[in-house]
Amino acid sequence: NAGVIQTPRHKVTGKGQEATLWCEPISGHSAVFWYRQTIVQGLEFLTYFRNQAPIDDSGMPKERFSAQMPNQSHSTLKIQSTQPQDSAVYLCASSAGTGGAAETLYFGSGTRLTVL
Amino acid sequence: QQQVRQSPQSLTVWEGETAILNCSYEDSTFNYFPWYQQFPGEGPALLISIRSVSDKKEDGRFTIFFNKREKKLSLHITDSQPGDSATYFCAASDSSGSWQLIFGSGTQLTVMP
């Protein structure tokens, strides 16, 4: 089991460009989460899916950010018109999806996004 | 508004000492409290967790003490080892509600050999 796989590990974009981050959850896991990590804000919840359906996107900035899960083997986080304040490590996590909020989250190593 | 607070921000102990990491929360509906450990360049990984029906959870050298009345908990790492040097995050959730975990800002622990 390779764990949660996130690609790319590092991404550098210019201000105003689009960035797409990819996540492959652990096989068999039905819940996928996106978090953003910065020194100042720490670990911030963005959104999560269960059985590919979006369940809670309360942490997503309403403009420019969108997440999808087109199939059970991958999810994407897209940031349009990137801004320097979007620079962060974006973490994807998955869980079995059967035990509710008390389940273990398995995190990937993250994608470090740098917006110049 | 920080719903989960951690202190200290950083902590240095000598090998063999006990490290104590503190956490407090505001929302009385929180009933599940995991601690995650993160090494540089990696994502957080679950270390140990406790539910609000318990006041103590032990796993080897790691123990969580939980005080529901004061909305406080602490992680004790006994016989600290240099390999324990990492950032530790306290988190909380309402297990009957949204599945999002609310994380604290973390404590960076350094264990000196």
Side-chain angles (χ1 to χ4, degrees):
Chain A
N1 192 329
V4 175
I5 299 172
Q6 289 190 250
T7 55
R9 286 299 307 272
H10 303 274
K11 186 170 182 66
V12 180
T13 65
K15 182 179 175 180
Q17 292 184 327
E18 181 178 288
T20 299
L21 313 180
W22 295 72
C23 171
E24 181 180 329
I26 292 172
S27 178
H29 280 189
S30 61
V32 172
F33 302 77
W34 285 96
Y35 282 81
R36 176 169 64 181
Q37 185 172 27
T38 61
I39 298 295
V40 174
Q41 298 293 335
L43 277 157
E44 298 176 279
F45 168 82
L46 296 176
T47 185
Y48 85 93
F49 298 83
R50 195 158 73 235
N51 295 320
Q52 299 173 232
I55 302 299
D56 181 354
D57 67 353
S58 59
M60 290 277 275
K62 296 309 176 190
E63 298 178 357
R64 303 186 298 107
F65 282 64
S66 63
Q68 293 185 327
M69 190 161 184
N71 58 60
Q72 63 185 9
S73 63
H74 89 272
S75 175
T76 58
L77 179 67
K78 184 179 293 186
I79 308 171
Q80 295 178 313
S81 184
T82 54
Q83 303 297 309
Q85 60 265 32
D86 299 331
S87 296
V89 174
Y90 290 83
L91 291 162
C92 177
S94 70
S95 70
T98 57
E103 284 193 332
T104 299
L105 295 186
Y106 295 87
F107 284 88
S109 297
T111 294
R112 180 175 296 277
L113 175 67
T114 302
V115 182
L116 301 177
Chain B
Q1 180 186 4
Q2 271 194 322
Q3 296 191 60
V4 178
R5 290 190 171 87
Q6 288 188 249
S7 65
Q9 187 173 356
S10 63
L11 175 66
T12 299
V13 299
W14 293 102
E15 183 174 356
E17 291 186 333
T18 296
I20 300 176
L21 290 65
N22 300 303
C23 179
S24 63
Y25 62 98
E26 298 177 4
D27 192 333
S28 57
T29 66
F30 288 158
N31 56 14
Y32 171 66
F33 304 90
W35 286 81
Y36 279 78
Q37 179 189 55
Q38 185 177 31
F39 295 104
E42 299 180 8
L46 178 67
L47 180 66
I48 186 173
S49 65
I50 193 168
R51 293 178 185 259
S52 59
V53 294
S54 300
D55 56 15
K56 181 181 175 181
K57 177 78 172 290
E58 199 169 345
D59 184 357
R61 297 185 294 109
F62 303 92
T63 303
I64 300 174
F65 293 92
F66 179 69
N67 185 322
K68 187 174 182 178
R69 183 179 60 84
E70 294 187 8
K71 297 182 185 175
K72 291 181 178 179
L73 56 161
S74 61
L75 174 67
H76 291 225
I77 307 174
T78 58
D79 188 24
S80 297
Q81 301 297 309
D84 296 331
S85 297
T87 301
Y88 293 81
F89 292 96
C90 172
S93 72
D94 168 11
S95 62
S96 63
S98 170
W99 289 18
Q100 69 168 275
L101 274 178
I102 307 299
F103 284 86
S105 56
T107 293
Q108 186 170 355
L109 174 66
T110 301
V111 181
M112 302 293 290

